[in-house]
Amino acid sequence: MADTKYIFVTGGVSSSLGKGIIAASLAKLLQARGFKVTIQKLDPYINIDPGTLNPYEHGECYVTEDGAETDLDLGHYERFLNVNTSQANNVTTGRIYQSVIEKERRGEFLGKTVQVVPHITNEIKERIQILGKNGDYDIVITEIGGTVGDIESLPYIEAVRQLKWELGDDNALVIHLTLVPYLSAAGELKTKPTQHSVKTLMESGIKADILVCRTEHELSDDIRRKLAIFCNVRQEAVIQSIDAPTIYDVPNMMLKEGLDTVTLKKLALPDDSTPNLDRWNQFLQRHKNPKAEVHIGLIGKYVELQDSYKSILESFIHAGAENEVYVNVEYIHSEFINDSTIHNKISHLDGVLVAPGFGERGIEGKIDAVRYARENDLPFLGICLGMQMAVIEFARNVLQLKGANSTEMDPETKHPVIDLMEAQKEVTHKGGTMRLGAWDCELRKDSIIHEVYGVDMIKERHRHRYEYNNKYQEQLENAGMLSTGINPETGLVEIIELKDHPWFVGVQYHPEYKSTVASPHPLFVSFVKAAHEHSVKEKNAKMAQK
């Protein structure tokens, strides 16, 4: 008998049904019962990882503590479980094929013909079981990207079929997430798409043990019975997943539906406890009952797709709940910010966040937004590229260094206040070669950032090639831009803040990757608090004028 139990989450009918949220919600319920749980994502695309993908293609690239560039679903896993993921939690087809080809080149297959079955499927099975074999987890949940029937997903489905057979009864199960659409013309929910999806799964040799049905309307007992009969599952294993006001409602909805109970029964695990969701529900209570509202502008160049900034948006939800305020995030495209538009776009805001990114498109708009926040005492947070834009803006407009820039945008700039890291100058490959993962940062005492964290040393996750140029540090410091966070290993500046400003902070790292429901990131909590204080101050000033 296997020591670790395995749960596989597949999807059918349509993409974007929320496999990641269902996987994270089930994991949360099992964790709340005392089980040690982790989640991994298998992505069918041939890219080695999402690090080279445009955010419009696949949303944000999430970075783990150990420096893996991964799918954004890993962010959901960490936010729900408050447990770090790693390189082993995200596997792509590109990585699978790369590993198999490297083994073939080393002669590990002893001259055999290398095939999808068994070599690719064996590699997939090996990756699935890495987390289960280290002894840290009772249950491993594996989400398989894409939709059943896709050509790209077939090797993963075959690997699951083999693994389910090899592990034996009670050690693995398959949850199939599907869609039960409502046809307004007929005035009823339709089960046929789900039936066909389950049939496709069965054609690959896999029987779904649990059906999770996404729907806009309640599933009646008749529909549940029909799905059970035609899809070959028990009626109690037909789980309704109706649209929710927030993703953080889903664990409670799945608890009500009994998803965790059915899962434990099928895995022959004890069902003698009740999930402890007290802390989770306290967060939900604060999130749904804010006492005030703040308006924060997110200045970016991928704002058409909100998934491009998924972790930032979720961090605002966590920080808003902590402050008992609703954070109304306004998406502002940096390409459309200029002298004639900036007042209308920013003047009504309580805070400005200049988002991460790469390339020169929309850069001048970001710099204009930084200047507005600096000159108007508007709370400001710059993340990665946003921090670099703050340095450039200050160098241009306070130090009067004409044409100051990053060598990423202008390789010939006379004042490269942001420059390519020395370690990056010989790098030619783009994938996985940036400064990645968690790095130490020593905080200066008597600073905003030290007050935010309350400690002398922090560790935060990075994803960048360009850095603050220390050659300009003395000039910037003397003019009022303080370097309040330094990497002790490299001496590079990680954090800047303004001496004479209510709340102005730029960080080279990505704090949004470490914010969870249980541990809202202190930087976002402090920023939202500053925005709220600004909002109250502005309201009081207007009242005084009346």
Side-chain angles (χ1 to χ4, degrees), residues 63-78:
V63 177
T64 61
E65 200 79 355
D66 64 351
E69 292 179 293
T70 70
D71 183 79
L72 61 81
D73 273 328
L74 269 70
H76 291 310
Y77 307 160
E78 290 199 9

Side-chain angles (χ1 to χ4, degrees), residues 218-286:
E218 298 279 344
L219 298 183
S220 66
D221 287 340
D222 286 343
I223 288 178
R224 289 177 191 254
R225 190 158 42 248
K226 184 177 181 180
L227 285 167
I229 291 170
F230 284 100
C231 298
N232 203 24
V233 299
R234 306 294 298 178
Q235 189 168 334
E236 63 266 23
V238 178
I239 305 295
Q240 170 185 283
S241 177
I242 201 163
D243 292 352
T246 168
I247 60 172
Y248 299 108
D249 281 322
V250 180
N252 280 315
M253 293 165 62
M254 292 302 100
L255 176 64
K256 184 180 177 182
E257 285 288 305
L259 177 59
D260 56 327
T261 300
V262 175
T263 297
L264 292 173
K265 182 179 178 181
K266 289 186 176 292
L267 292 176
L269 289 170
D271 181 18
D272 52 5
S273 61
T274 302
N276 182 356
L277 294 174
D278 291 348
R279 194 172 179 184
W280 185 271
N281 288 327
Q282 288 168 9
F283 155 76
L284 269 177
Q285 177 70 15
R286 292 194 303 271

Side-chain angles (χ1 to χ4, degrees), residues 176-188:
H176 191 54
L177 178 63
T178 183
L179 177 68
V180 179
Y182 179 79
L183 295 186
S184 55
E188 61 182 350

Side-chain angles (χ1 to χ4, degrees), residues 207-484:
K207 173 188 172 297
D209 298 287
I210 299 173
L211 276 185
V212 176
C213 304
R214 278 300 306 272
T215 175
E216 296 176 356
H217 298 270
E218 298 279 344
L219 298 183
S220 66
D221 287 340
D222 286 343
I223 288 178
R224 289 177 191 254
R225 190 158 42 248
K226 184 177 181 180
L227 285 167
I229 291 170
F230 284 100
C231 298
N232 203 24
V233 299
R234 306 294 298 178
Q235 189 168 334
E236 63 266 23
V238 178
I239 305 295
Q240 170 185 283
S241 177
I242 201 163
D243 292 352
T246 168
I247 60 172
Y248 299 108
D249 281 322
V250 180
N252 280 315
M253 293 165 62
M254 292 302 100
L255 176 64
K256 184 180 177 182
E257 285 288 305
L259 177 59
D260 56 327
T261 300
V262 175
T263 297
L264 292 173
K265 182 179 178 181
K266 289 186 176 292
L267 292 176
L269 289 170
D271 181 18
D272 52 5
S273 61
T274 302
N276 182 356
L277 294 174
D278 291 348
R279 194 172 179 184
W280 185 271
N281 288 327
Q282 288 168 9
F283 155 76
L284 269 177
Q285 177 70 15
R286 292 194 303 271
H287 173 51
K288 292 186 172 184
N289 298 281
K291 296 177 180 177
E293 181 177 355
V294 296
H295 294 260
I296 292 178
L298 193 160
I299 316 295
K301 52 185 180 179
Y302 311 112
V303 295
E304 298 92 340
L305 182 66
Q306 292 182 20
D307 274 358
S308 300
Y309 304 109
K310 192 64 178 173
S311 291
I312 291 175
L313 300 180
E314 298 306 316
S315 298
F316 276 132
I317 290 175
H318 308 154
E322 190 73 8
N323 284 283
E324 296 186 283
V325 301
Y326 173 69
V327 181
N328 188 333
V329 179
E330 296 188 23
Y331 307 95
I332 303 171
H333 203 302
S334 57
E335 278 194 287
F336 303 138
I337 295 177
N338 52 49
D339 290 341
S340 62
T341 64
I342 192 163
H343 183 79
N344 287 337
K345 289 184 178 294
I346 295 182
S347 61
H348 63 287
L349 298 173
D350 302 310
V352 166
L353 184 148
V354 175
F358 296 92
E360 65 178 311
R361 182 173 64 90
I363 287 305
E364 294 303 321
K366 289 189 174 188
I367 292 171
D368 288 343
V370 173
R371 181 172 187 171
Y372 189 96
R374 178 178 61 82
E375 293 179 343
N376 292 276
D377 286 346
L378 198 58
F380 168 85
L381 176 58
I383 297 177
C384 199
L385 183 67
M387 174 263 205
Q388 296 174 3
M389 295 302 100
V391 175
I392 292 169
E393 187 280 324
F394 195 85
R396 288 183 185 180
N397 299 313
V398 177
L399 293 182
Q400 297 298 312
L401 299 178
K402 189 175 181 181
N405 214 329
S406 165
T407 52
E408 179 184 7
M409 320 306 168
D410 180 7
E412 305 302 322
T413 177
K414 292 182 180 179
H415 299 290
V417 292
I418 304 296
D419 199 6
L420 187 64
M421 298 166 59
E422 282 299 321
Q424 290 287 323
K425 289 183 178 178
E426 303 302 318
V427 172
T428 55
H429 284 72
K430 297 299 182 187
T433 55
M434 287 185 278
R435 185 179 177 198
L436 293 165
W439 290 70
D440 289 332
C441 179
E442 190 172 358
L443 306 183
R444 181 191 291 190
K445 293 180 175 62
D446 300 321
S447 63
I448 292 174
I449 205 72
H450 192 276
E451 184 181 333
V452 165
Y453 283 94
V455 295
D456 296 337
M457 186 76 76
I458 60 171
K459 187 182 283 285
E460 293 281 1
R461 301 179 193 179
H462 291 251
R463 185 175 183 253
H464 59 100
R465 297 184 192 281
Y466 292 81
E467 293 270 11
Y468 178 107
N469 189 341
N470 284 13
K471 292 177 182 177
Y472 291 87
Q473 185 176 357
E474 186 177 350
Q475 283 178 269
L476 291 163
E477 288 257 3
N478 291 338
M481 177 167 275
L482 307 179
S483 306
T484 55

